[in-house]
Amino acid sequence: MTKYSPWSNPADPEVFFKLEAYNQLLKELGWEDKVEWLSQWMDRGGRELAVNSWQPGTKSDWFWGLGLPFLSDVERYLFNKEERKIFGISGLPGSGKTSFGKWLNNAALELDWPLTVISIDDFYLPAPELEKAMAGNPWEVPRGLPGSHSIQLINKTLEKWEETGHLKAPQFDKALRNGRGDRSGWVHSNPKILVIEGWFIGCPLSADIQNSRKDHFEKEPLTAIEKDFRVKVQHSLSTYQTIWNKFERIWHLKAEDFQSVNSWKTQQETNQQRERGASLKGDHLQRFLRMIQTAIPQEDLQSVKSNVVATLDTSRRITWVGPRKYQ
């Protein structure tokens, strides 16, 4: 266990976020005394909690700024409330939300907590339906857009879990079909807390879908076809709003610079190619990045209806973390 913490003297050298908002977050989670909060987590294993589950190179700011506070947030509902709760993790592709979810799953196992993390992308439509749903999109992407998920299955799965406590969720393997992906079975669990991660979770509907003046594009502005298809994406996004309403809490991994998604997603696909032998690359990857940049107004993706925000720089270093209302 490291001898450093955000408050130690000297402070953890890998923590760069300001402590004012962070301390306010701990207070909102029920911890007025940060020393007491720190002590009870050290008694549970501290820095070594699921330590091998972090991605290689992950800095300790994720442990302090995201890992332990998120678990503290969950714990408020885990033992003191009767009903089951849904938490969300929202962040642009490649931001680290999936890796963070894997750490949460393993930390929960070590703590013997009934918590399960899944991805909304596991609810992608089966391949034939997915191909039909994605046909005609101007970016020629095989998945990822609002409308590529089975809303009916998401609602049915959540309703069944809320009613019985048993979760039966699909799995989607993005490496299948040469990186286009397909369904790959089902998982079963009995969580009290369900965490769902995804790149547009909590994203609101646009107030003015045709107005892109606040968007920033590195290469070229929106084409006429992209503008028209944005309307269709908004219609699809409207069907997710009732799902967002089911979330008790949403944590947003917010890019300090929206353009970070280009390097983040490229790194993600490179890792998948190395580990699974299939990924989006070349023109396919560039079209996917263009879709992320243009399908939903960037301002909306940066204005997720979240409770907690962690701002990430291009290197995924946390530069700010706290309750959204203090940002």
Side-chain angles (χ1 to χ4, degrees):
M1 181 181 69
T2 179
K3 63 181 179 180
Y4 298 113
S5 78
W7 308 281
S8 61
N9 188 13
D12 189 321
E14 294 181 350
V15 171
F16 290 89
F17 52 81
K18 300 291 185 180
L19 295 182
E20 290 82 0
Y22 180 60
N23 290 337
Q24 189 62 43
L25 172 60
L26 296 184
K27 288 180 181 180
E28 291 199 0
L29 299 182
W31 293 94
E32 292 285 342
D33 187 341
K34 58 181 176 289
V35 175
E36 184 180 353
W37 176 80
L38 180 62
S39 177
Q40 57 92 28
W41 278 115
M42 294 306 101
D43 290 342
R44 292 168 167 179
R47 188 69 179 86
E48 298 306 309
L49 181 64
V51 66
N52 292 327
S53 300
W54 290 111
Q55 281 286 99
T58 302
K59 304 299 184 183
S60 61
D61 58 342
W62 277 65
F63 173 76
W64 295 115
L66 284 171
L68 292 189
F70 193 100
L71 291 177
S72 292
D73 198 359
V74 164
E75 191 170 21
R76 298 187 299 155
Y77 301 89
L78 196 58
F79 304 111
N80 299 328
K81 304 289 183 180
E82 290 291 331
E83 62 272 22
R84 302 171 184 92
K85 297 293 184 181
I86 303 175
F87 276 56
I89 301 174
S90 186
L92 294 174
S95 60
K97 59 189 181 298
T98 301
S99 297
F100 179 48
K102 290 178 181 178
W103 179 85
L104 287 172
N105 262 330
N106 288 316
L109 285 174
E110 290 190 12
L111 294 167
D112 196 26
W113 285 7
L115 176 149
T116 296
V117 183
I118 62 174
S119 172
I120 196 170
D121 288 349
D122 286 319
F123 291 90
Y124 278 140
L125 294 161
E129 297 176 47
L130 186 59
E131 294 285 349
K132 183 177 179 180
M134 292 293 95
N137 77 78
W139 309 281
E140 300 179 10
V141 294
R143 60 178 189 271
L145 285 164
S148 55
H149 306 88
S150 173
I151 300 299
Q152 181 180 9
L153 180 58
I154 294 173
N155 283 318
K156 180 180 178 181
T157 298
L158 296 181
E159 288 169 5
K160 189 69 173 179
W161 168 70
E162 290 170 339
E163 177 185 345
T164 68
H166 180 72
L167 179 72
K168 179 185 178 183
Q171 286 185 304
F172 190 91
D173 189 339
K174 295 179 181 179
L176 296 178
R177 298 193 304 138
N178 295 317
R180 298 177 69 82
D182 200 359
R183 290 266 181 93
S184 60
W186 300 80
V187 293
H188 298 259
S189 61
N190 298 283
K192 176 77 176 293
I193 302 293
L194 177 62
V195 182
I196 306 177
E197 56 92 355
W199 78 273
F200 59 85
I201 280 180
C203 183
L205 295 175
S206 180
D208 184 2
I209 189 60
Q210 296 295 347
N211 183 359
S212 63
R213 288 177 297 176
K214 292 186 178 181
D215 289 346
H216 171 69
F217 307 113
E218 287 189 324
K219 296 181 179 179
E220 66 273 358
L222 284 171
T223 65
I225 297 175
E226 287 173 333
K227 287 182 179 180
D228 290 341
F229 207 86
R230 264 188 164 191
V231 177
K232 182 177 180 179
V233 171
Q234 284 292 302
H235 176 73
S236 296
L237 185 59
S238 70
T239 65
Y240 293 75
Q241 301 303 308
T242 55
I243 299 172
W244 304 163
N245 292 337
K246 294 177 180 289
F247 285 68
E248 182 71 27
R249 305 273 289 172
I250 294 180
W251 286 57
H252 184 195
L253 309 187
K254 181 178 178 179
E256 194 172 67
D257 179 356
F258 195 94
Q259 303 309 313
S260 296
V261 70
N262 292 331
S263 58
W264 289 350
K265 181 61 179 175
T266 300
Q267 291 169 10
Q268 184 184 60
E269 293 298 324
T270 299
N271 290 338
Q272 181 175 298
Q273 181 66 37
R274 182 176 61 252
E275 296 168 4
R276 302 295 311 282
S279 65
L280 296 175
K281 48 185 176 290
D283 289 342
H284 297 288
L285 176 57
Q286 293 306 310
R287 287 195 292 268
F288 196 95
L289 291 174
R290 177 67 179 178
M291 181 273 288
I292 297 299
Q293 295 276 352
T294 60
I296 300 174
Q298 296 171 15
E299 181 185 13
D300 296 337
L301 288 168
Q302 295 290 71
S303 304
V304 166
K305 296 178 180 179
S306 60
N307 304 96
V308 180
V309 174
T311 303
L312 311 179
D313 68 11
T314 303
S315 300
R316 301 187 189 85
R317 187 173 64 180
I318 300 175
T319 57
W320 192 95
V321 59
R324 179 173 179 256
K325 61 185 178 183
Y326 290 105
Q327 194 178 41

